[in-house]
């Protein structure tokens, strides 16, 4: 009986040692705005390069850019498609001067990442307090999705 118990324990121990630990990968989004200091009615390019570990992501579940003028409640959220090599891109013009913000909302591989950048069109306006971040208790249900 002792031999059977020892054999079972050794088998369980060896089975546990045989598994390799998989290092978790992260969803990375490199957000770029070009130019960072733009002009009224001239195009601004927004680019999100999406990677999962070392792998470029060409099939993200959702990629959109949320763009707004500082201190405004009016946010535009524009869905974008893959352009190639893990890059998702949008070109947009602005008809109002001021300080703007953009979030790249990216969902892929059961993860979500949303980097943020500030950019200016023409003359800067008053930037948002605390970088435009709302506290969780200030957000409504729609904003939390």
């Amino acid at each position: 009986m002792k031999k059977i118990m020892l054999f079972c324990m050794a088998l369980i121990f060896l089975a546990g040692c045989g598994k390799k630990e998989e290092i978790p990968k992260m969803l990375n989004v490199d957000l770029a705005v070009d130019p960072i200091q733009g002009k009224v009615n001239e195009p601004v390019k927004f680019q999100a390069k999406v990677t999962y570990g070392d792998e470029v992501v060409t099939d993200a579940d959702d990629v959109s850019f949320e763009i707004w003028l500082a201190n405004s409640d009016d946010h535009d959220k524009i869905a974008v498609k893959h352009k190639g090599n893990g890059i998702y891109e949008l070109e947009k013009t602005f008809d109002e001067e001021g300080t703007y913000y953009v979030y790249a909302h990216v969902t892929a591989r059961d993860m979500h990442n949303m980097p943020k950048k500030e950019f200016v069109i023409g003359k800067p306006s008053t930037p948002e307090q605390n970088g435009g971040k709302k506290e969780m208790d200030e957000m409504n249900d729609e904003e939390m999705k």
Side-chain angles (χ1 to χ4, degrees):
M1 183 70 150
K2 288 182 182 178
K3 288 183 182 181
I4 293 173
M5 291 287 284
L6 283 173
F7 177 74
C8 289
M9 289 177 63
L11 189 60
I12 291 170
F13 178 74
L14 288 175
C17 290
K19 291 185 179 180
K20 290 184 180 179
E21 293 282 328
E22 186 174 320
I23 299 171
K25 297 177 185 175
M26 295 299 297
L27 179 65
N28 297 305
V29 180
D30 183 20
L31 176 60
V33 179
D34 184 32
I36 206 82
Q37 175 71 50
K39 295 180 181 176
V40 172
N41 295 321
E42 290 191 5
V44 177
K45 187 186 296 184
F46 303 93
Q47 236 181 33
K49 172 126 177 138
V50 183
T51 56
Y52 180 69
D54 294 332
E55 167 195 356
V56 294
V57 176
T58 61
D59 60 348
D61 299 321
D62 179 54
V63 179
S64 60
F65 293 108
E66 180 181 359
I67 303 168
W68 71 99
L69 180 60
N71 302 304
S72 171
D73 290 331
D74 186 24
H75 292 212
D76 287 333
K77 194 167 183 182
I78 304 161
V80 293
K81 302 260 185 233
H82 181 247
K83 298 290 182 187
N85 200 28
I87 295 174
Y88 297 78
E89 186 175 278
L90 170 71
E91 200 167 281
K92 180 175 173 57
T93 59
F94 298 86
D95 58 6
E96 188 175 347
E97 288 187 323
T99 301
Y100 286 81
Y101 299 94
V102 59
Y103 270 124
H105 293 274
V106 179
T107 303
R109 311 295 189 268
D110 296 324
M111 294 182 181
H112 187 77
N113 192 333
M114 46 187 280
K116 179 181 178 184
K117 291 268 185 179
E118 179 181 286
F119 63 101
V120 175
I121 301 298
K123 295 179 185 172
S125 58
T126 304
E128 294 183 340
Q129 295 297 328
N130 72 347
K133 296 178 185 172
K134 288 186 177 180
E135 298 300 322
M136 289 298 284
D137 58 347
E138 294 178 56
M139 298 176 81
N140 63 37
D141 290 338
E142 195 60 33
E143 291 174 312
M144 293 172 71
K145 289 182 181 178

